[in-house]
Amino acid sequence: MKRSAIPRRGTSRDRLLVTPEGIALPITVAGRGSRVGALILDFIVILVMMIVMAVLLNSIAGGVGGIARAIAPDSATAHAVQFLQILWIIAIFLFRNAYFLFFELGPRGATPGKRLAGIRIAARDGGRLTAEMVIARNLLRDVELFLPIIFIMTAGVASGMGWLAAAGWFAIFLLFPLFNRDSLRAGDVIAGSWVVERPRRRLEAALSVGPAAVPRPDGMSGDPQRRDYRFSEAELAVYGEYELQALERVLRDDRGQAMDSVYQTIAHKIGRNDGWNDERAFLEAYYTQLRARLEAGMRMGRRKADKHSGESR
Amino acid sequence: MNAISGAPGTAATGAGLAANAIARAALRSDRFRLEREADWQRLEAIVAQMEKGRLRRLSDDDLLALPGLYRTVASSLSIARETSLDTATLAYLEVLVQRAWFVVYGPRSSLWDWLRGFLGGGWSAAVRAIWLDVLIALAVMVAGTIVGWLLVAHDPDWYFTLISPEMAGSRVPGASREVLHGSLFGNAGQSGMSVFAAGLFSNNAQVSILAFALGFALGVPTLLLLVQNTAVLGALLWLYSGQGLLLDFVGWLAVHGTTELFAILLAGAAGLHIGRSMAFPGQRPVLQAASEAGRRAAVVMSGVVLMLVVAAMLEGFARQLVDQTFGRLVIGGCMLAIWCAYFFAFRGRGAQVRRA
């Protein structure tokens, strides 16, 4: 799928983040849906790893276990089985606590699930993401997710109080991201981190450096088929930055119908009709010259936001 | 604005296609872009490699160039915002700076570096920074122990409210001195102790993480958890002192207990620190106060997990090997002295580590 080059701003999840260099960067807070998806993916990964581990240890233990039963409990094989048990307990502890830590401490700042969902963690203040932040946000994860299950298990499935406590717990922690603007988890609040979308965008070719867009100094086109369009100052003065961006979008999307109607509009507005059947070249030339005019204005400190506004200082 | 004042003439004198393209570009902003595109693409290639986790494949030159390239591209973005209306370039630069920012300001210290800074002063400095909470948690734990003792002394039925029958085993009110003595001594040479130790560690670590995390609810559940756990301790103390085995029990407990109780104390203090900073943020915004406290507490908590590993080792092995009260008391006392010295006397390079 080709993503449009023009970012569509203005959703409720867009924030401005200021880097230590003082540059404001637009950043998008990850959606709650993609975060839940990432969590489920991670749980699936953990579950698969645990099953593989269990099968592996079981097959090793099963091999020696039969012999161990036959001989004395203090023998070498009994110790081997004990060692496997220790391995299992430690592995469970690590899966539960260190999985998220390990991956989020890497340069990618994301667990495999988060990576697939296209999100990652970052420091909320624009500074460095430190190891302490990652530790803090993951220590709370355990309590947010697993504690209600323990409540119900210890209180018994039939216990009303157990369910009530679990429900209260869910209301505080699990639903916490629903009740704040940046969908922060309790762990994010403690750590000063947040989960943001991981952007990816290719550098698209500049429209204004193609052969069509560059007028030859001698006024002749290199290609005899091409006509050279020149627009007067008055013809360029009708539009502003907003229209320039819209025009850029149309040129990049390159759809015939849209191009036609935009050509009609512009040609009508400036009272020209010499670009008939050569709309793309006409529009590219208009785009380049309009941009040249607006950018020259910018350098002088004049900006024209759109066609309705006058040039502001 | 000298960055964009490169005149077409000077650019064209350079040989090659790129210079040609720069010279042919009609717009100043396009010349600006074409002149810098190589830097942008080099940064993008480096960042893409790092995002894929292929740090090893990057050459040293690239790694050294990364911070400089990041600043170059960041300043390109600032200039482009003021001089260019090419939305594609602006969007690309914004994304590229953001991706590079993730990498440049990512968790840079390797686990090894972090561990060295952590043990070499970061941990003890963090513990000292929450001294008030440590004192509060200590007071609560002492109070919990006394309450447990008094409750059971007043009415022995409380014993089973505090301690489940499975956990109590033979250690019930009215048990004979021999039974209680047997529960403290004579377990040497028993097999399966290492499994027991690993299980203990896993369980205790989970409990202390709980005590820490409950601090989020303004610290109240943390306090309750501390009281509940130490009330059990008080009840057991009462039970053994009734048969004149108080010192033996303390010795039995001290082997690992000084480390383990210290760890639980720190976990509770860390939770309390978060709860307190959220309830009373002072002049700072609540979110900022919470995250500052959270980061400090996270350092303390990483240490707590480490202490619990030590405690489980002591409980699983040392206690079974040393079968007499004096030896046990010496081990426990030494551990306590070591921890106290490390936390409150050892300064290390703590200040540096915390600022880094």
Side-chain angles (χ1 to χ4, degrees), chain A residues 161-227:
Chain A
M161 283 308 285
W163 284 102
L164 200 69
W169 194 263
F170 272 112
I172 296 175
F173 283 100
L174 216 55
L175 303 183
F176 194 87
L178 296 180
F179 295 116
N180 65 80
R181 227 165 56 95
D182 295 338
S183 47
L184 300 177
R185 207 156 60 65
D188 287 319
V189 171
I190 294 298
S193 61
W194 59 359
V195 183
V196 295
E197 279 182 10
R198 195 161 46 96
R200 192 164 290 277
R201 180 168 284 128
R202 277 200 352 237
L203 178 57
E204 313 227 7
L207 278 175
S208 44
V209 292
V214 185
R216 303 269 297 207
D218 50 9
M220 297 271 291
S221 178
D223 182 353
Q225 300 292 324
R226 294 207 82 97
R227 272 183 287 164

Side-chain angles (χ1 to χ4, degrees), chain B residues 9 14 27 39 44-45 50 72 114 123 161 169 178-179 214 228 230 235 240 250 260 271 296-297 350 353 355:
Chain B
L27 297 177
D39 273 351
E44 187 182 5
M50 292 183 83
T72 309
W114 182 81
W123 180 18
T161 315
E178 283 67 43
V179 171
L214 286 171
Q228 194 242 332
T230 48
Y240 282 91
V250 169
E260 190 177 295
R296 211 171 293 136
V353 171
R355 228 177 292 125

Side-chain angles (χ1 to χ4, degrees), chain B residues 250-271:
Chain B
V250 169
W252 179 82
L253 192 73
V255 175
H256 72 289
T258 49
T259 306
E260 190 177 295
L261 288 174
F262 208 150
I264 291 174
L265 169 71
L266 290 182

